[in-house]
Amino acid sequence: MNSRAQQLAAFDRLLTIMDELRAQCPWDKKQTMESLRHLTIEETYELGEAILEGDLEEVKKELGDLLLHIVFYAKIGSETNDFDMADVATDISEKLIRRHPHIYSDTTVTGEDEVKANWEKIKLSEGKKSVLEGVPQSLPALVKANRIQEKVAGVGFDWERPEQVLEKVKEEIGELESELGRREADKIESELGDVLFSLVNYSRFLGINPENALERTNKKFINRFKYLEARAMDAGKSLAEMSLAEMDEFWEAAKSLEHP
């Protein structure tokens, strides 16, 4: 792999290119933080997809795209004398040192859970009024639920055992079933939300990221359905003309290809 000197040289080259693009390229010159925001979100999702696919070459490319965005924001910040790339790097370095006293000070920890608990305590000592302040309101609901549960668990508000969480899932499903009989949409939605929230919590206890788990299922469903469509086309049929039994036969065939 590249030496530290080579890594620094490559980063310096990127900073120089960003300076040149900002000065000379019509598109780059007119960009603002607001105009880049949605593009950054897209790049983040593309990185996430590459990670799930296990495509390390694509991961490398997507990391480059994200790094470009970070450099771009820092360049814009420097033009108004608010901050530059050095400020960004310094701030995160100082934060990491401050929040890892078991590495950079004399604090002793016994494992990951204590590290997380210390992290949240230190954040509160920095002026945060709530451990939930660090959860962005704009996060997708599934991701937000997971982050909320991680945050509160960091200060001890958590179940003790996975079995307790599974029981909570079953309890919430029971409450949902009760509301289904009353047919009040608002209450059904509320109970369904509780079921989903408890499932996210259970996934955390299993050590599984619920966003990743759901996305894997999305991809699995897409692949199976495309196989179904292809087989139907080979048979000269449209899906609308097929019975559920016929479609299920192709669906099971698609599943068998995944698990020989």
Side-chain angles (χ1 to χ4, degrees), residues 239-252:
L239 295 183
E241 297 169 340
M242 295 175 64
S243 67
L244 284 175
E246 289 176 305
M247 287 191 281
D248 190 58
E249 182 179 341
F250 290 150
W251 187 267
E252 291 300 320

Side-chain angles (χ1 to χ4, degrees), residues 184-251:
E184 294 183 37
D186 188 62
K187 290 183 178 180
I188 291 172
E189 181 182 276
S190 177
E191 293 300 338
L192 182 57
D194 289 346
V195 171
L196 293 172
F197 194 83
S198 60
L199 280 170
V200 169
N201 209 10
Y202 188 50
S203 72
R204 182 174 60 85
F205 266 81
L206 296 178
I208 294 172
N209 184 292
E211 174 74 13
N212 291 348
L214 183 57
E215 182 57 17
R216 287 182 184 277
T217 296
N218 289 340
K219 289 180 178 294
K220 183 166 58 180
F221 184 94
I222 289 169
N223 289 336
R224 290 176 183 176
F225 194 79
K226 286 183 175 179
Y227 177 85
L228 188 160
E229 289 177 313
R231 289 293 303 273
M233 185 177 295
D234 291 342
K237 297 182 178 180
S238 71
L239 295 183
E241 297 169 340
M242 295 175 64
S243 67
L244 284 175
E246 289 176 305
M247 287 191 281
D248 190 58
E249 182 179 341
F250 290 150
W251 187 267

Side-chain angles (χ1 to χ4, degrees), residues 123-124 126-133:
K123 286 180 68 174
L124 288 175
E126 293 170 350
K128 301 285 186 183
K129 295 180 180 179
S130 168
V131 296
L132 297 179
E133 279 187 26

Side-chain angles (χ1 to χ4, degrees), residues 3-225:
S3 67
R4 177 60 62 86
Q6 289 171 316
Q7 293 175 37
L8 292 173
F11 190 63
D12 180 67
R13 182 185 180 211
L14 177 59
L15 292 174
T16 299
I17 291 172
M18 185 72 257
D19 290 343
E20 293 169 347
L21 294 178
R22 189 67 173 168
Q24 301 174 40
C25 175
W27 186 88
D28 290 279
K29 285 168 68 173
K30 77 173 189 177
Q31 297 311 306
T32 65
M33 291 189 184
E34 290 75 15
S35 70
L36 290 172
R37 177 181 175 275
H38 75 282
L39 298 175
T40 307
I41 293 171
E42 286 180 19
E43 295 296 353
T44 303
Y45 276 105
E46 288 175 9
L47 171 61
E49 185 170 344
I51 291 172
L52 284 181
E53 293 290 340
D55 188 340
L56 295 184
E57 180 64 25
E58 197 63 26
V59 168
K60 180 188 72 174
K61 293 177 181 178
E62 296 301 340
L63 283 172
D65 290 341
L66 269 183
L67 181 57
L68 169 62
H69 280 240
I70 292 169
V71 169
F72 212 146
Y73 289 121
K75 176 62 179 176
I76 295 172
S78 72
E79 293 168 353
T80 55
N81 293 318
D82 288 300
F83 61 87
D84 62 14
M85 197 66 239
D87 295 318
V88 173
T90 298
D91 279 3
I92 188 59
S93 295
E94 294 299 329
K95 180 193 290 186
L96 289 172
I97 290 171
R98 188 168 62 251
R99 295 189 184 178
H100 288 79
H102 54 289
I103 303 295
Y104 299 103
S105 187
D106 56 2
T107 299
T108 301
V109 296
T110 58
E112 177 187 357
D113 290 341
E114 281 193 43
V115 171
K116 290 180 177 179
N118 284 340
W119 181 279
E120 295 302 336
K121 290 176 184 176
I122 293 168
K123 286 180 68 174
L124 288 175
S125 71
E126 293 170 350
K128 301 285 186 183
K129 295 180 180 179
S130 168
V131 296
L132 297 179
E133 279 187 26
V135 181
Q137 291 300 308
S138 58
L139 280 179
L142 183 68
V143 179
K144 186 188 291 186
N146 193 45
R147 291 298 291 141
I148 287 170
Q149 292 163 7
E150 288 177 341
K151 291 286 187 182
V152 299
V155 292
F157 189 77
D158 205 3
W159 299 93
E160 294 178 347
R161 302 184 308 277
E163 310 88 74
Q164 295 172 309
V165 190
L166 182 57
E167 282 303 313
K168 184 63 176 176
V169 172
K170 294 176 181 177
E171 176 189 320
E172 296 295 355
I173 292 174
E175 292 178 6
L176 172 62
E177 289 175 337
S178 296
E179 288 299 337
L180 289 174
R182 298 184 179 91
R183 299 188 178 184
E184 294 183 37
D186 188 62
K187 290 183 178 180
I188 291 172
E189 181 182 276
S190 177
E191 293 300 338
L192 182 57
D194 289 346
V195 171
L196 293 172
F197 194 83
S198 60
L199 280 170
V200 169
N201 209 10
Y202 188 50
S203 72
R204 182 174 60 85
F205 266 81
L206 296 178
I208 294 172
N209 184 292
E211 174 74 13
N212 291 348
L214 183 57
E215 182 57 17
R216 287 182 184 277
T217 296
N218 289 340
K219 289 180 178 294
K220 183 166 58 180
F221 184 94
I222 289 169
N223 289 336
R224 290 176 183 176
F225 194 79

